Amino acid sequence: MLLLLGFAVWMLFFDANSWFIHHELNTDIKELEDEKEYYKKEIAKDKKAIKALSTEEGLEKLAREKYYMKKADEEIYIIEYEDSLTKQSYHD
């Protein structure tokens, strides 16, 4: 019985293939699989953005919305709501 107990303790704690090492490695594998899924989703999102920018309309939409570009005969009015403005504090 003592030999069996000694073997179990050795396998759980001291062996190179102990239960704790396996548990740690399984946790690392799970984290890496989650990270892999995250990057797959990001790649799909980027592919969708690239596809949208490959058309003339998508490129124009990006230029207008992000960089506030306009055609020569247009005027652009940017409306900002009060809750979207940053509060400035004035010190004396």
Side-chain angles (χ1 to χ4, degrees):
M1 192 61 127
L2 189 59
L3 185 62
L4 186 60
L5 181 64
F7 178 73
V9 168
W10 178 265
M11 291 304 291
L12 281 175
F13 298 104
F14 302 115
D15 192 50
N17 298 316
S18 71
W19 180 83
F20 292 111
I21 291 174
H22 277 283
H23 180 68
E24 183 179 327
L25 291 174
N26 287 337
T27 303
D28 291 344
I29 289 170
K30 176 66 175 142
E31 288 174 2
L32 290 171
E33 286 174 350
D34 291 344
E35 191 174 332
K36 180 180 171 183
E37 287 301 316
Y38 167 77
Y39 285 120
K40 281 184 178 181
K41 290 176 185 177
E42 289 296 312
I43 288 170
K45 206 166 44 170
D46 290 344
K47 283 182 180 179
K48 185 178 177 184
I50 289 170
K51 186 177 180 180
L53 290 175
S54 65
T55 64
E56 188 69 31
E57 294 85 22
L59 196 57
E60 183 178 343
K61 180 179 177 183
L62 175 74
R64 287 176 175 271
E65 291 178 359
K66 187 166 183 169
Y67 298 108
Y68 303 115
M69 292 184 170
K70 65 180 185 85
K71 294 182 180 178
D73 59 341
E74 290 182 329
E75 289 187 27
I76 295 179
Y77 298 98
I78 300 173
I79 300 171
E80 293 183 353
Y81 296 101
E82 187 174 327
D83 60 344
S84 66
L85 298 175
T86 58
K87 302 288 185 200
Q88 295 181 354
S89 61
Y90 297 101
H91 298 286
D92 292 305

